[in-house]
Amino acid sequence: MSPTKFQTNLQLNKRILSIVIFTFVCYLSIGLPLAVLPGFVHGKLGFNSVLAGLIISVQYFATLASRPHAGRYADHIGPKKVVIFGLSCCGISGLMYVFASLTTATPMLSLILLCVGRVFLGVGESFAATGTILWGIGATNPIHTGRVISWNGVATYGAMAAGAPLGVFLNAHWGLVGVAVTILIIAALAIALASTKPAITVVTGKRLAFRTVVGKIWMHGLGLGFGTIGFGVIATFITLYYADKGWSGAAFTLTVFSLGFVGMRLIFGSNIARFGGLKVSVVSFVIEIIGLLMIWHGHSPFSVEIGAFLTGSGFSLVFPALGVEAVKQVPQQNQGTALGTYSAFLDLGLGITGPVAGLVISHFGTPSIYLAAAFMVLLAMLITLKMMRDA
């Protein structure tokens, strides 16, 4: 790479990172209370483990319901305002956690306040994450869509990885209030920073009906949803898998998965623009399938770790690769709606993975879910091949 091209790439990445930092703040707000709230609900408030788990799930349902709306508003009022609104919702979730921690004497009231906070956080995730991607695309160039989405994903998973242990540390020293105040502070700082950045011009023109947008991108979303299941079964059930095998080190397997995910985005993210999203998706699905089959057939922790690394590497480029192709299907004034709707398939895939995989485990044992996940990813690959043929 010539010095001039290197300098151009560096400047482009700096511009993208100056915007995806808002995604980092959003997902740090998600990661901080993730390992803290179940213990608070179960241990502090005295509710059962089912309610403790549902407190976490409330956010996912709110995200799923609000994703398409986030994209539509970004099309109409611009992504900067949508991002600031999303970050404000993240801050309000922290405020709700403060109120919940102050009302533990009335457990039901405290639980309701937590639920309200989780709803705000789910809406905040939709608006901040979707708006940030569109802001990044508008601040650079549509040809860099894949790179913007890739860096956005690095910010997402980096924040989640940092947020959970930091949240545990804050909770150990200052309780839920410490976690909540931290969320309030970082959200306020991010809002102040976002307010100083220039907005991008909202593209005017005749907009497609929502139903038409869904009709144009639903196959891309379906591929994403099926491809996400591999990530879902590792994130949710790898600990149970290791317990069934009598092994230790499940947490390291998640670390290896994350290394594969982040490494692939950083090193090969530019291949989406070079070869096209559909081709990159097919190769990604093949790698993900091999990884899942290795976990299913795992005869040692090392082989499972290699499988997790391959699964993370394969899944890494699926979202940006199919996302690039999805937004191409609609005019620029509808790209926010397309991206928000497309992203909702990821939430849906993760949402159904838990209960369906639990049903499979009850009948066929824990390893079987990785074989089933490989089959789902195979379906995603076949859908993508059909799109390639149609194109």
Side-chain angles (χ1 to χ4, degrees):
M1 182 184 294
S2 66
T4 303
K5 189 173 182 182
F6 176 80
Q7 187 70 23
T8 302
N9 269 323
L10 186 62
Q11 291 173 348
L12 176 61
N13 287 333
K14 283 182 177 179
R15 191 181 308 168
I16 294 172
L17 288 171
S18 71
I19 295 173
V20 299
I21 190 173
F22 303 123
T23 291
F24 184 87
V25 171
C26 168
Y27 281 92
L28 191 60
S29 301
I30 294 171
L32 283 169
L34 201 57
V36 173
L37 289 183
F40 179 83
V41 173
H42 185 57
K44 190 82 171 178
L45 300 183
F47 291 104
N48 59 36
S49 56
V50 175
L51 279 177
L54 282 175
I55 280 295
I56 300 298
S57 298
V58 165
Q59 177 212 321
Y60 300 138
F61 291 125
T63 300
L64 175 61
S66 57
R67 284 271 197 195
H69 300 289
R72 193 170 71 252
Y73 279 113
D75 286 334
H76 285 276
I77 65 175
K80 176 178 177 177
K81 292 179 180 178
V82 165
V83 168
I84 291 175
F85 176 77
L87 292 171
S88 300
C89 288
C90 292
I92 291 172
S93 74
L95 189 62
M96 291 298 107
Y97 298 156
V98 171
F99 293 153
S101 66
L102 296 176
T103 56
T104 53
T106 312
M108 184 54 68
L109 175 60
S110 181
L111 184 70
I112 291 171
L113 289 169
L114 285 180
C115 284
V116 173
R118 299 299 290 171
V119 170
F120 271 103
L121 188 59
V123 174
E125 177 187 358
S126 296
F127 279 72
T130 303
T132 296
I133 292 175
L134 293 166
W135 198 354
I137 294 170
T140 53
N141 190 300
I143 65 171
H144 301 305
T145 296
R147 187 180 299 206
V148 172
I149 297 177
S150 292
W151 275 114
N152 199 69
V154 172
T156 298
Y157 287 90
M160 292 287 284
L166 179 59
V168 171
F169 172 81
L170 292 170
N171 185 61
H173 288 79
W174 298 284
L176 182 59
V177 172
V179 175
V181 170
T182 301
I183 292 172
L184 275 168
I185 292 172
I186 61 173
L189 291 174
I191 291 168
L193 178 61
S195 300
T196 65
K197 290 190 171 295
I200 61 172
T201 304
V202 177
V203 178
T204 58
K206 183 177 174 60
R207 302 183 191 278
L208 300 177
F210 178 71
R211 182 190 300 178
T212 305
V213 174
V214 174
K216 288 180 176 293
I217 62 94
W218 71 272
M219 289 189 70
H220 303 80
L222 203 59
L224 173 66
F226 283 136
T228 301
I229 291 174
F231 163 62
V233 293
I234 289 180
T236 308
F237 294 104
I238 196 66
T239 304
L240 183 59
Y241 178 89
Y242 268 64
D244 283 357
K245 295 279 190 178
W247 300 338
S248 59
F252 182 68
T253 303
L254 291 172
T255 301
V256 169
F257 174 93
S258 300
L259 288 173
F261 181 96
V262 174
M264 183 65 77
R265 284 215 174 174
L266 291 177
I267 298 171
F268 296 105
S270 60
N271 285 341
I272 297 172
R274 184 179 178 187
F275 298 107
L278 295 179
K279 289 181 180 178
V280 170
S281 297
V282 170
V283 175
S284 297
F285 288 139
V286 171
I287 297 172
E288 188 177 355
I289 290 169
I290 293 171
L292 288 167
L293 291 176
M294 286 188 68
I295 298 174
W296 166 62
H297 194 259
H299 51 79
S300 69
F302 180 72
S303 66
V304 173
E305 288 160 7
I306 296 297
F309 180 82
L310 289 174
T311 305
S313 300
F315 176 62
S316 176
L317 294 180
V318 170
F319 184 92
L322 287 177
V324 166
E325 300 300 325
V327 297
K328 284 181 183 177
Q329 308 306 309
V330 299
Q332 192 172 352
Q333 59 266 29
N334 281 101
Q335 286 187 350
T337 304
L339 184 62
T341 306
Y342 166 75
S343 301
F345 282 89
L346 183 145
D347 303 317
L348 184 61
L350 290 176
I352 65 174
T353 294
V356 173
L359 189 63
V360 172
I361 288 172
S362 66
H363 286 83
F364 304 105
T366 306
S368 64
I369 60 173
Y370 297 98
L371 177 62
F375 179 72
M376 293 295 102
V377 178
L378 176 62
L379 288 180
M381 188 179 75
L382 293 175
I383 290 169
T384 308
L385 287 171
K386 182 182 185 306
M387 288 190 288
M388 286 178 65
R389 186 194 66 184
D390 293 346

